[in-house]
Amino acid sequence: MLYINKPLVLCILLLNSPAFLAQSLPQINVKDYEFESNTKQVEITTYNVENDSAVALEISSYSFNNEGAMESYELRNKQNKSWGKEKNTYKKGRLHKKSGKYSNSTLNKKHYYTYDDNDYLINEQIRLNNGNTNTVKFEYKDNLLHKISSNVDETVITHHYTQKEHLFKKVYSKKEVDKTNVISNHFYLENKEIFSYIAPKNHYKAHIYNENVYIGFELINDERVKSKLDKGIQRFNQEAPKDNLPFNLQKHCNQTWQFYDKNLDKVIPFEIKIYKYKKDASGNKIKYAEAIVDIKTKTISSVSFYKTTFKNNNVVGSTAFDKNIFSEFKEDITFINIP
């Protein structure tokens, strides 16, 4: 049964609006993928589901070394037979090179990483199969990642932190083909993106992370709602840098879910996911199944099953399709309002 933790207390108005693909430091650690620190390998099989019939679509796997750094990643598409493999090489405990090979060899590439005297990553050089080279530069301020810039799409990402050095905002600046500068603002709480908008104040998006559910939605262009959001955003910008917000991530998401449920005529979901967890011997929550909801049909469109192997060779989960879990996912949808 899906558990939805409804909000008990209302804080400020929704203060939300969310996401975009974030360019950041390379993901190499188990924690970057939200796996437990003693994870050795994670295998995932994703099934397409249509009329309750499941067909394996993709098989992927992550492998980690004893320090928790990712050694390799593989992805195979069962339907079109395409595949990709990435391998990381480390020197002195730092990521030195990442090699990517693919069934379409034109996509093959190698990433090389350069560090400063303080072991901060400052340069990622990407050598493409066609001989071209792309460069990503990383800049730091007060020992924190401050700016990321890429020569590929002329995107610059600036990071903003609270007094306690918690990330609370990323600002994306990107040059379009016509050379106009598009600015998007993305706000964070406990390292989760909670809302975003494109300046000047449009394309509001919000994220909900609540127990075993994720909902991403956009708001329609409604002046009353925008006015309330702008006040919330203004307060967030004032209080977040001082670590003075009157709520944590969970309370914020509870508020946002309540707003979502009460304003179904003003929200446009763009992604809904449902998760299943098991606890290991130490009581840690281990994800073993994930479902993606088809928002138009209000059905499960795909299901992924996880098999996690730990360093002590204990195993949690299986990649085999589980009809009972799929039935639970279908039941879970009934607890989520979808406009």
Side-chain angles (χ1 to χ4, degrees):
M1 182 69 71
L2 178 65
Y3 174 67
I4 298 176
N5 185 8
K6 288 292 186 180
L8 299 177
V9 180
L10 288 178
C11 229
I12 346 175
L13 289 162
L14 126 93
L15 293 184
N16 344 326
S17 198
F20 193 106
L21 286 178
Q23 200 176 9
S24 61
L25 294 172
Q27 289 185 305
I28 62 171
N29 192 276
V30 289
K31 290 297 184 182
D32 295 330
Y33 295 92
E34 298 185 343
F35 300 145
E36 289 302 314
S37 57
N38 60 339
T39 300
K40 178 180 179 182
Q41 185 179 44
V42 178
E43 300 166 77
I44 308 166
T45 299
T46 299
Y47 297 85
N48 269 1
V49 184
E50 190 172 348
N51 297 324
D52 290 353
S53 178
V55 178
L57 173 63
E58 290 182 347
I59 297 176
S60 58
S61 66
Y62 300 83
S63 296
F64 301 92
N65 62 22
N66 289 332
E67 286 70 47
M70 188 170 72
E71 291 183 326
S72 63
Y73 169 74
E74 296 187 16
L75 174 66
R76 288 187 290 131
N77 187 302
K78 295 281 288 182
Q79 294 190 343
N80 63 21
K81 307 302 181 184
S82 63
W83 54 267
K85 297 180 180 180
E86 293 183 354
K87 183 178 179 180
N88 291 342
T89 302
Y90 297 86
K91 283 187 177 181
K92 298 180 180 179
R94 302 183 306 195
L95 178 62
H96 170 66
K97 182 175 73 173
K98 179 170 69 175
S99 301
K101 292 185 177 182
Y102 307 91
S103 52
N104 179 356
S105 60
T106 62
L107 300 176
N108 290 356
K109 56 186 176 178
K110 293 182 179 179
H111 301 241
Y112 294 89
Y113 301 93
T114 305
Y115 300 81
D116 64 14
D117 293 337
N118 296 314
D119 286 342
Y120 288 120
L121 174 64
I122 57 173
N123 187 280
E124 179 181 19
Q125 191 177 75
I126 307 167
R127 298 179 186 175
L128 307 177
N129 197 51
N130 62 8
N132 292 340
T133 299
N134 297 330
T135 302
V136 180
K137 294 186 178 296
F138 303 87
E139 300 176 41
Y140 300 82
K141 185 178 180 180
D142 298 327
N143 297 320
L144 296 169
L145 179 63
H146 174 60
K147 186 181 293 184
I148 302 175
S149 54
S150 169
N151 71 329
V152 180
D153 54 6
E154 295 189 71
T155 297
V156 176
I157 307 171
T158 306
H159 297 67
H160 300 264
Y161 301 89
T162 71
Q163 292 177 352
K164 295 181 179 179
E165 301 185 347
H166 298 134
L167 176 69
F168 80 92
K169 181 166 69 172
K170 291 183 185 179
V171 178
Y172 292 71
S173 174
K174 181 176 180 179
K175 294 286 187 181
E176 295 296 310
V177 177
D178 60 1
K179 296 303 178 181
T180 57
N181 201 22
V182 177
I183 307 294
S184 57
N185 297 267
H186 302 255
F187 298 85
Y188 292 78
L189 193 56
E190 298 175 24
N191 290 320
K192 293 282 191 181
E193 184 173 3
I194 54 173
F195 60 91
S196 67
Y197 67 88
I198 297 177
K201 304 294 177 64
N202 56 53
H203 295 291
Y204 292 91
K205 292 183 179 179
H207 299 282
I208 299 170
Y209 312 90
N210 201 311
E211 296 294 336
N212 53 344
V213 177
Y214 162 76
I215 300 175
F217 66 91
E218 190 168 357
L219 288 164
I220 66 171
N221 191 15
D222 181 282
E223 289 302 321
R224 184 181 65 85
V225 174
K226 284 179 63 175
S227 175
K228 292 181 178 180
L229 273 175
D230 290 341
K231 290 179 181 178
I233 290 170
Q234 183 179 13
R235 183 171 181 181
F236 190 95
N237 270 318
Q238 291 173 345
E239 302 300 334
K242 299 180 290 186
D243 296 287
N244 196 35
L245 292 172
F247 51 80
N248 58 14
L249 176 64
Q250 191 59 63
K251 286 185 178 180
H252 170 81
C253 288
N254 289 346
Q255 277 186 278
T256 308
W257 197 318
Q258 185 178 75
F259 173 89
Y260 173 90
D261 279 342
K262 288 185 175 181
N263 295 275
L264 294 175
D265 59 329
K266 297 179 177 60
V267 301
I268 307 171
F270 56 81
E271 188 173 32
I272 298 176
K273 294 182 179 181
I274 309 172
Y275 308 101
K276 299 290 182 185
Y277 297 93
K278 292 181 178 179
K279 288 188 177 181
D280 64 9
S282 301
N284 299 311
K285 290 173 61 178
I286 311 299
K287 182 166 64 176
Y288 70 93
E290 173 183 319
I292 295 178
V293 178
D294 185 316
I295 295 167
K296 290 184 178 180
T297 63
K298 302 181 183 181
T299 60
I300 301 297
S301 62
S302 68
V303 179
S304 298
F305 290 94
Y306 291 64
K307 176 184 176 183
T308 302
T309 303
F310 297 98
K311 292 175 184 176
N312 60 6
N313 291 322
N314 287 343
V315 175
V316 173
S318 167
T319 58
F321 186 82
D322 189 317
K323 291 183 178 179
N324 292 329
I325 298 301
F326 177 62
S327 295
E328 289 183 19
F329 278 134
K330 290 198 297 181
E331 175 70 15
D332 290 343
I333 296 180
T334 64
F335 291 87
I336 302 174
N337 287 322
I338 304 176

